[in-house]
Amino acid sequence: MRVLSGIQPSGSLHLGNYFAMMKRMIEYQKNHELFCFIVNYHALTTVSDAAMLRQRTFEAICDFLALGIDPDKSYFYVQSDIPEVTELTWILSNVTSLGLLERAHSFKDKKAKGIVANHGLFAYPVLMAADILLYGAELIPVGKDQKQHVEMTRDIAIRFNQTYGETFVLPKPDIPRDVATIPGIDGQKMSKSYGNTIDIFAPKDEMKKTVMSIVTDSTPVEEPKNFKTCNLFKIYTLFLDEEGKKELKHRYLKPGLKYGEVKKELVEVIRSYFEPYREKREKLLQDRDYVMDIMHTGAKKTRAVGLYYLEKARENVGLNY
Ligand code: TRP
């Protein structure tokens, strides 16, 4: 099956990104045809500092490679290295109604926050549809917040196929039940925009400070604790197997548990989980030529697949005269 997803180059990678999307993508590459990319065209809707966009894109590439994306096994690329995606965006724009775009939650949320919307932000879901339809992707692993965008892609594809004949594959969102929402240190969804993230490659002191500030309740030490409503518990168990989860539950139910101690343990657990990746990432960050080489090869391979669907679309709408 063809599996595809992209990630914004929006700064430091956090536990939410990793468990909701990246970890699953890396697992999918074992048995599926994986398309994985850095969405820098989309980032233009929010980042207007060129040096920053460049830097973040490079870091995001190194993050993925360090965490285990294998460029030989999968299609790994930067969105803007495939200019065909913008051509398809234009073609799809003509089967996308204003009403559909106006109903997009993420657009409405951003507008409600006072962000002055430009055309790029409004058309964001059409570009995302092109990202998906260009390669005939079937399964789209995303967090809950992107579900509507994938459904819109489906709507756009259906409309296109009805108007011009069977052209595109209809994709489905793939949202994991158990890790649908990963809480941040304040208990809301972990998200850069809420400032509540635990960044996986943060220096030790910073990581410690963040983990120590995970919000917990004020149950006295000598009383049993409620693990069900505890953020610290939810974050810690991301790293535990069934056995480990059981043990931690027992510790919560027994009087005497100190949240501070659990937090200190958690710092070590996170650090050691990501330790091998951290070293690999440092090396990649220093070896720009090697990384650029990988990305050029990835783009070439990916463009070849994209051209198939683009040519089909061009033909079916009558652009090939
Ligand atoms: N909009 C997605 C996000 O912000 C990123 C994205 C762009 C994407 N194109 C995509 C995700 C295609 C999946 C498939 O997280």
Side-chain angles (χ1 to χ4, degrees):
M1 186 160 21
R2 219 164 246 188
V3 181
L4 173 146
S5 193
I7 194 164
Q8 291 249 10
S10 55
S12 312
L13 194 66
H14 57 73
L15 292 183
N17 303 133
Y18 180 71
F19 285 101
M21 188 262 197
M22 289 175 122
K23 183 162 180 263
R24 290 195 294 142
M25 295 281 276
I26 290 158
E27 275 158 19
Y28 272 126
Q29 91 181 331
K30 287 187 204 141
N31 302 312
H32 295 282
E33 214 182 352
L34 180 72
F35 286 68
C36 174
F37 60 111
I38 316 294
V39 303
N40 59 343
Y41 276 143
H42 277 115
L44 287 178
T45 62
T46 48
V47 184
S48 52
D49 178 330
M52 187 186 281
L53 182 59
R54 241 176 248 130
Q55 173 68 15
R56 286 181 175 179
T57 304
F58 186 68
E59 282 177 10
I61 295 168
C62 295
D63 288 343
F64 259 116
L65 289 173
L67 288 167
I69 281 287
D70 178 347
D72 291 329
K73 258 198 198 146
S74 57
Y75 294 84
F76 179 53
Y77 55 99
V78 174
Q79 188 185 30
S80 67
D81 280 340
I82 322 290
E84 286 79 11
V85 79
T86 58
E87 182 175 349
L88 185 59
T89 301
W90 177 248
I91 294 176
L92 297 176
S93 289
N94 299 289
V95 291
T96 307
S97 70
L98 285 186
L100 183 78
L101 296 176
E102 277 161 356
R103 284 192 294 278
H105 303 312
S106 86
F107 177 70
K108 286 197 286 195
D109 291 351
K110 284 186 180 143
K111 251 181 72 180
K113 276 194 198 136
I115 294 172
V116 181
N118 58 29
H119 176 249
L121 192 66
F122 188 57
Y124 185 111
V126 193
L127 177 58
M128 182 154 160
D131 279 333
I132 296 171
L133 302 179
L134 187 60
Y135 312 104
E138 295 164 85
L139 198 67
I140 318 298
V142 282
K144 230 194 223 140
D145 61 316
Q146 295 296 315
K147 183 167 179 252
Q148 191 196 26
H149 281 155
V150 180
E151 287 163 357
M152 289 167 84
T153 299
R154 225 181 136 82
D155 290 342
I156 293 170
I158 289 173
R159 180 74 187 275
F160 188 99
N161 288 352
Q162 277 170 355
T163 312
Y164 296 108
E166 277 310 305
T167 311
F168 294 117
V169 175
L170 305 185
K172 278 200 210 79
D174 168 42
I175 294 152
R177 263 168 195 278
D178 49 338
V179 289
T181 322
I182 289 157
I185 58 172
D186 59 357
Q188 293 188 80
K189 176 190 154 111
M190 189 179 286
S191 160
K192 195 175 153 61
S193 53
Y194 297 148
N196 64 0
T197 63
I198 300 175
D199 297 346
I200 70 181
F201 294 124
K204 188 163 186 181
D205 288 352
E206 193 189 311
M207 166 87 69
K208 208 164 160 186
K209 214 171 121 201
T210 316
V211 172
M212 294 314 283
S213 57
I214 293 176
V215 178
T216 45
D217 63 21
S218 51
T219 313
V221 176
E222 61 282 3
E223 279 177 30
K225 315 284 186 300
N226 186 347
F227 62 84
K228 282 191 192 143
T229 54
C230 182
N231 282 325
L232 177 60
F233 181 86
K234 283 184 199 154
I235 297 171
Y236 200 147
T237 50
L238 293 168
F239 297 92
L240 300 176
D241 56 15
E242 284 312 310
E243 196 54 35
K245 263 184 220 169
K246 240 197 229 159
E247 263 172 48
L248 189 59
K249 263 186 212 172
H250 281 306
R251 289 174 61 197
Y252 265 71
L253 295 173
K254 245 177 51 193
L257 177 110
K258 292 189 182 133
Y259 289 133
E261 271 167 20
V262 179
K263 288 179 184 177
K264 274 190 207 144
E265 262 173 57
L266 178 58
V267 174
E268 294 311 317
V269 167
I270 301 177
R271 295 278 305 174
S272 63
Y273 184 94
F274 291 110
E275 192 56 42
Y277 307 123
R278 191 191 331 275
E279 283 169 23
K280 216 171 144 197
R281 178 176 180 268
E282 285 308 317
K283 276 199 195 126
L284 289 163
L285 286 170
Q286 301 308 322
D287 201 348
R288 182 170 273 275
D289 288 349
Y290 171 73
V291 173
M292 293 312 276
D293 225 37
I294 290 179
M295 298 324 285
H296 285 142
T297 312
K300 227 164 130 184
K301 199 163 103 173
T302 309
R303 280 183 95 169
V305 179
L307 271 176
Y308 169 79
Y309 282 97
L310 181 64
E311 277 308 313
K312 213 161 129 181
R314 287 176 64 98
E315 170 100 27
N316 291 354
V317 299
L319 288 171
N320 285 2
Y321 57 91

